[in-house]
C-alpha cells in the first residue's frame, strides 16, 4: 500500500505505477466541511481529481469515478436514473459533479453511490452508529423522517466494482440500496439486529442544524445495476445480514 496526497502526488503516482485501472474514490466527503472550507474542497475534489484522472487517461488506464446522490437536488421525489440531469444544492455536490464532468470528458465511468454504511476505517457512518447506540443501550437514537436516499453497504460497493471491472463496464451506473428515509433505515437496523423499533425516535430535517443544505429525496434508481450485477441491491435484509457478520468479525479481531 502507498499513501499519497492527491493534491501533490497525483501525476507522479500514476506515472510511477502506470495502472491499467484507476478507481478514484478520494474526496473531501464531509458535506458540511465542504460548505465551510470551499477552497480545500475544490482543491481536492476538483483540481486534484482533474490531475489524477488526466494522468490516468495519459497512461491509458480505464477510469472509474465514485460519485454521489448529492449531485441531484432531491426536489422531485427521488429515484433518479442515470439519465436524469444533475443539479446540486450544496458545494460538495457541485464539486462531485464537476469531477463527474471531467470523468465524462476523459471517457471514464461514473459509479454513483449513496449514504454509505459499514465496518472498517474512516469517518463514523450512520448505520454503524445506530447499531453501536442500540447495543450500548440507554441512549436515544434519533433519525430523520423526511429525508430519503438509498443506504448502501460499503462491501457491496466493493463487490459491484469487482463485477464492473470484470465486465469492462463503461458508462454511468447507480450502485445503491433501496429508497429509505433515515428513520426507516434505522428501524430496519433495529429490527434486523433484534432490538425494538420503538427505540428509534423520529426527528425532522429542520431539527438538525446542518451547515450545508441536504437534498430532501436523492434516492437513486438502481435498476440498471441490479440487471448488470445480479446483486439483490433492493433487499435491505440481505445487506444487513452481511453488515452484521462483518461487525461480528470486526469485534472478534479487535478483542485482545
Ligand atoms: N459517505 C457517503 O455516504 C458517500 C455517499 C456517496 C459518495 N461518497 C463518496 O465516497 C468517497 C469516500 O467518501 P467518505 O464519505 O467515505 O469520506 P471520508 O470518510 O472523508 O473519506 C475520504 C477519503 O478520501 C481520502 N482523501 C481525502 N483527501 C485526500 C487527499 N488530499 N489525498 C489522498 N486522499 C485523500 C481520505 O484519506 P485519509 O483518510 O487518509 O484522509 C479518505 O480515505 C468520496 O468520493 C465520496 O464523495 C460517499
Amino acid at each position: 500500500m502507498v499513501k499519497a496526497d492527491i493534491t501533490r502526488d497525483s501525476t507522479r503516482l500514476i506515472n510511477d505505477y502506470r495502472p491499467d485501472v484507476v478507481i478514484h474514490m478520494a474526496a473531501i466527503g464531509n458535506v458540511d466541511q465542504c460548505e465551510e472550507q470551499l477552497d480545500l474542497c475544490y482543491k481536492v475534489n476538483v483540481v486534484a481529481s482533474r490531475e489524477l484522472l488526466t494522468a490516468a487517461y495519459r497512461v491509458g488506464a480505464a477510469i472509474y469515478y465514485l460519485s454521489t446522490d448529492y449531485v441531484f437536488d432531491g426536489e422531485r421525489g427521488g429515484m433518479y436514473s442515470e439519465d436524469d440531469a444533475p443539479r446540486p444544492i450544496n458545494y460538495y455536490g457541485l464539486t462531485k459533479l464537476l469531477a463527474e464532468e471531467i470523468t465524462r470528458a476523459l471517457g471514464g465511468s461514473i459509479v454513483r453511490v449513496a449514504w454509505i454504511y459499514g465496518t472498517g476505517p474512516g469517518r463514523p457512518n450512520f448505520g454503524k452508529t445506530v447499531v453501536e447506540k442500540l447495543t450500548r443501550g440507554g441512549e436515544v437514537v434519533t433519525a430523520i423522517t423526511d429525508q430519503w436516499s438509498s443506504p448502501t453497504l460499503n462491501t457491496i460497493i466493493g463487490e459491484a466494482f469487482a463485477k464492473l471491472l470484470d465486465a469492462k463496464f463503461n458508462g454511468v451506473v447507480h450502485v445503491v440500496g433501496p429508497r429509505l428515509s433515515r428513520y426507516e433505515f434505522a428501524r430496519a437496523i433495529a429490527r434486523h439486529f433484534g432490538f425494538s423499533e420503538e427505540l428509534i425516535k423520529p426527528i425532522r430535517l429542520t431539527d438538525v442544524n446542518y451547515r450545508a443544505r441536504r437534498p430532501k429525496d436523492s434516492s437513486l434508481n438502481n435498476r440498471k445495476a441490479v440487471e448488470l450485477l445480479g446483486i439483490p441491491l433492493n433487499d435491505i435484509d440481505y445487506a444487513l445480514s452481511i453488515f452484521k457478520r462483518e461487525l461480528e468479525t470486526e469485534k472478534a479481531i479487535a478483542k485482545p
Side-chain angles (χ1 to χ4, degrees):
M1 191 178 80
V2 184
K3 262 189 98 72
D5 179 346
I6 60 163
T7 64
R8 285 192 337 226
D9 309 324
S10 283
T11 302
R12 186 178 51 77
L13 190 68
I14 297 288
N15 288 347
D16 282 356
Y17 288 91
R18 303 189 72 81
D20 295 324
V21 176
V22 169
I23 304 175
H24 175 31
M25 299 183 170
I28 303 295
N30 183 321
V31 181
D32 294 315
Q33 184 189 355
C34 275
E35 214 67 24
E36 274 161 18
Q37 296 179 280
L38 304 177
D39 289 346
L40 175 70
C41 182
Y42 191 81
K43 189 174 167 191
V44 175
N45 294 5
V46 184
V47 179
S49 290
R50 184 174 58 220
E51 187 184 332
L52 181 84
L53 297 172
T54 306
Y57 174 88
R58 287 185 183 164
V59 299
I63 293 171
Y64 291 83
Y65 177 62
L66 189 75
S67 193
T68 171
D69 55 322
Y70 280 16
V71 295
F72 294 107
D73 64 16
E75 291 299 317
R76 70 130 205 238
M79 297 309 274
Y80 293 94
S81 82
E82 288 82 355
D83 298 326
D84 284 318
R87 196 184 85 89
I89 58 166
N90 55 42
Y91 198 67
Y92 163 76
L94 174 66
T95 60
K96 295 295 288 185
L97 178 60
L98 291 171
E100 280 195 6
E101 294 303 330
I102 293 163
T103 304
R104 274 181 217 272
L106 297 169
S109 296
I110 295 162
V111 180
R112 294 200 188 109
V113 298
W115 288 10
I116 302 173
Y117 65 98
T119 57
R123 284 187 301 133
N125 59 78
F126 181 73
K128 193 172 174 188
T129 304
V130 169
V131 177
E132 285 171 352
K133 283 188 175 177
L134 289 171
T135 308
R136 277 199 299 269
E139 275 174 82
V140 181
V141 186
T142 55
I144 297 168
T145 51
D146 57 344
Q147 190 197 4
W148 290 264
S149 188
S150 310
T152 314
L153 183 67
N154 55 4
T155 48
I156 289 185
I157 298 172
E159 184 190 355
F161 265 104
K163 291 188 172 188
L164 290 169
L165 263 52
D166 272 352
K168 297 195 185 315
F169 172 79
N170 185 238
V172 183
V173 65
H174 292 170
V175 175
V176 291
R179 176 184 182 274
L180 294 170
S181 67
R182 292 237 184 241
Y183 180 67
E184 290 162 341
F185 180 42
R187 284 181 71 105
I189 291 174
R191 192 168 59 243
H192 192 92
F193 282 75
F195 296 97
S196 163
E197 292 177 45
E198 301 308 310
L199 292 169
I200 311 296
K201 304 294 172 214
I203 55 169
R204 310 279 296 174
L205 189 52
T206 47
D207 295 331
V208 187
N209 204 9
Y210 285 132
R211 183 93 171 84
R213 275 180 74 198
R214 300 297 199 266
K216 207 166 165 48
D217 186 346
S218 54
S219 56
L220 301 178
N221 181 320
N222 61 12
R223 193 175 311 130
K224 183 173 175 180
V226 170
E227 280 168 18
L228 204 67
L229 305 170
I231 301 172
L233 290 169
N234 290 312
D235 184 346
I236 191 67
D237 284 306
Y238 169 77
L240 291 178
S241 62
I242 298 172
F243 180 36
K244 192 161 183 239
R245 235 178 14 246
E246 290 169 346
L247 280 168
E248 282 158 8
T249 307
E250 192 175 61
K251 215 162 123 194
I253 292 169
K255 269 194 188 144

